[in-house]
Amino acid sequence: MQFPKLVKPLKFYAVVPTADWVGRMVKAGADTVQLRNKELSGDALYREIERCVAACRGSDTQLFINDHWEMAVKAGAYGVHLGQEDMDTADLAAIEAAGLRLGLSTHSVSELDRALSVNPSYAASGAIFPTTTKQMPTAPQGLDNLRQYVQQAGDTPVVAIGGIDLDNAREVLATGAASLAVVRAVTEAADPEAAVKAFQALWDE
C-alpha cells in the first residue's frame, strides 16, 4: 500500500468543526485544514463535506476530512484523516484507489509503527501537551517523544498536535516535526485570521 505524497508541505494545519470555519481558513491562507465534525451525520454531514471541498477548490489549502472516509471519497476531498481504531474498519484500499492522501493518528512508538506499515501520506503524533479538545487515551507525549517519533517516521511527515499554541510552537518545530496542527489556538483566538499568519510566519524564521 502506498498513499499519494503531499503536493506541498502541510505546515500550518487548522483543525476546525464546520464548513464555515474551513472557508475562513482558506481565506486566511492556511496551508492545510481538517474538518472534524462530531455533530452532523448522514446527508447533512455529506453536504458539509461538499461545502468544504468547494471552499478549498482552486485554493492552495489542502483539505482533510476526519473519520468519514466514504463521504470524503465521494465528495472528492484531498485527503482523509483516521484514528488508530479506524484502521481496523476503514477500507484503506478504497481510499488508496481513489487517490486520496491519508493521515493517521498515533500516540506511541507501536502505533506509529503500525501507521507507517501502510505508507500513509503523513502521521500525526500527540497529544504533545495537555489538551481539552478531546479525551486522550494516553498521557501527553512531550517534546522528547515527539523528537523520537520524527526520527522513527523517516521520510513520512510528522504532524504534531495537542495543546500547541504560539508560546510553545517554536519548541515543537525544533523537534523536526513537519507540521503544527491546532484547534483552540485558532477557533478560540480573538482574531483567527491573524493567528494563522502568526503561525505561518514561524516557517520563515
Side-chain angles (χ1 to χ4, degrees):
M1 204 163 270
Q2 180 69 61
F3 289 88
K5 300 287 186 196
L6 301 160
V7 173
K8 61 191 190 68
L10 295 167
K11 292 187 177 178
F12 176 71
Y13 193 148
V15 181
V16 296
T18 66
D20 286 343
W21 267 107
V22 168
R24 284 184 75 175
M25 292 297 96
V26 172
K27 286 191 175 73
D31 302 289
T32 308
V33 66
Q34 179 188 132
L35 176 72
R36 187 162 83 187
N37 185 295
K38 302 296 185 184
E39 309 302 319
L40 300 176
S41 60
D43 289 344
L45 176 61
Y46 183 67
R47 284 194 298 272
E48 195 81 354
I49 291 172
E50 281 191 313
R51 285 179 61 208
C52 293
V53 172
C56 293
R57 191 175 290 125
S59 78
D60 289 331
T61 302
Q62 304 175 102
L63 171 70
F64 286 83
I65 303 299
N66 184 271
D67 289 352
H68 305 286
W69 65 270
E70 288 170 288
M71 291 186 188
V73 167
K74 185 179 174 186
Y78 179 81
V80 179
H81 182 90
L82 299 176
Q84 284 284 310
E85 61 286 353
D86 301 313
M87 288 181 70
D88 298 323
T89 55
D91 188 342
L92 298 183
I95 298 169
E96 181 189 33
L100 272 67
R101 278 85 188 155
L102 176 68
L104 293 171
S105 289
T106 67
H107 313 93
S108 65
V109 166
S110 60
E111 288 189 0
L112 182 52
D113 263 342
R114 184 180 182 221
L116 294 173
S117 73
V118 300
N119 296 306
S121 307
Y122 72 81
S125 292
I128 306 306
F129 305 112
T131 177
T132 59
T133 56
K134 63 187 290 192
Q135 194 66 38
M136 295 306 298
T138 53
Q141 300 295 300
L143 295 173
D144 288 341
N145 282 342
L146 177 59
R147 205 170 281 112
Q148 291 175 12
Y149 298 154
V150 169
Q151 291 180 342
Q152 185 181 343
D155 292 337
T156 302
V158 171
V159 177
I161 189 168
I164 295 169
D165 57 31
L166 285 165
D167 292 331
N168 57 36
R170 287 178 181 80
E171 293 176 276
V172 179
L173 280 178
T175 66
S179 171
L180 301 179
V182 306
V183 183
R184 286 178 304 142
V186 159
T187 60
E188 295 181 12
D191 185 340
E193 288 75 15
V196 171
K197 298 301 182 198
F199 273 104
Q200 288 180 314
L202 297 171
W203 277 270
D204 299 325
E205 290 182 351

